[in-house]
Amino acid sequence: MANKAGAKTRIHPETGATLRRGERDMTIAFKGMKRIVRVKGWFPEGSDDGIFERGDAASTAAALAEMKAEHAARVRALARDVVKKVASIRPAKKVTNTYLSELLTGSPNSFSKYALGNATPSHPTVVLLTLLDKRPELVREIEAAAAPATA
């Protein structure tokens, strides 16, 4: 549909608002990170409740992929750092990826997968790794709490 000025318009299927083709800034968020990206679409006056066509979301998809890669790199580094820090306070005990995997997740290979970037840990596991990175001595409390469960 064209208005008097020749601009194309559409009607929003749910709200009935008149939509015009344009670009808007949108905030994309993932795991505590945010990016502002410019997106094309059909938008009503004064609102971001738009409709997008194929290809309109390319900028949001690129921003999301970038944030996912950044998050994965952080988790890989965090997992490697935790192994080193826990090993430094537990010299009498050999601290390996397998040991920490079994202690922290109950699976023998999960920690290696995190450190290599082959798997993404759950949010609670990331929180636990963050705490251990800041306070590696907490591993002693985790070992003590896990002992009855493994006995």
Side-chain angles (χ1 to χ4, degrees), residues 86-142:
V86 169
S88 73
I89 66 156
R90 303 290 286 152
K93 185 172 200 104
K94 186 171 183 180
V95 177
T96 63
N97 282 343
T98 302
Y99 173 73
L100 286 177
S101 291
E102 290 174 351
L103 178 66
L104 302 178
T105 70
S107 170
N109 296 319
S110 60
F111 213 80
S112 293
K113 290 177 184 177
Y114 306 153
L116 294 171
N118 295 334
T120 302
S122 66
H123 178 70
T125 301
V126 173
V127 170
L128 183 57
L129 292 175
T130 302
L131 289 172
L132 284 168
D133 186 51
K134 292 178 182 175
R135 295 187 46 216
E137 69 278 2
L138 288 174
V139 75
R140 291 184 181 109
E141 291 181 48
I142 296 168

Side-chain angles (χ1 to χ4, degrees), residues 10-151:
R10 288 177 68 169
I11 302 300
H12 194 289
E14 293 177 9
T15 66
T18 301
L19 306 173
R20 289 185 173 67
R21 187 79 176 149
E23 293 184 9
R24 302 266 173 103
D25 287 337
M26 290 182 70
T27 302
I28 307 299
F30 179 77
K31 305 272 186 183
M33 296 175 275
K34 292 183 180 179
R35 301 283 190 277
I36 297 174
V37 295
R38 193 87 173 148
V39 295
K40 295 178 182 179
W42 293 89
F43 300 100
E45 273 306 308
S47 172
D48 287 334
D49 185 25
I51 295 177
F52 304 100
E53 295 176 352
R54 186 180 306 241
D56 286 348
S59 59
T60 58
L64 184 59
E66 177 184 297
M67 289 185 288
K68 285 182 176 182
E70 186 177 325
H71 174 72
R74 286 182 187 174
V75 169
R76 282 192 305 273
L78 179 62
R80 288 190 298 264
D81 289 348
V82 167
V83 170
K84 290 175 190 170
K85 288 178 181 180
V86 169
S88 73
I89 66 156
R90 303 290 286 152
K93 185 172 200 104
K94 186 171 183 180
V95 177
T96 63
N97 282 343
T98 302
Y99 173 73
L100 286 177
S101 291
E102 290 174 351
L103 178 66
L104 302 178
T105 70
S107 170
N109 296 319
S110 60
F111 213 80
S112 293
K113 290 177 184 177
Y114 306 153
L116 294 171
N118 295 334
T120 302
S122 66
H123 178 70
T125 301
V126 173
V127 170
L128 183 57
L129 292 175
T130 302
L131 289 172
L132 284 168
D133 186 51
K134 292 178 182 175
R135 295 187 46 216
E137 69 278 2
L138 288 174
V139 75
R140 291 184 181 109
E141 291 181 48
I142 296 168
E143 289 168 334
T150 58

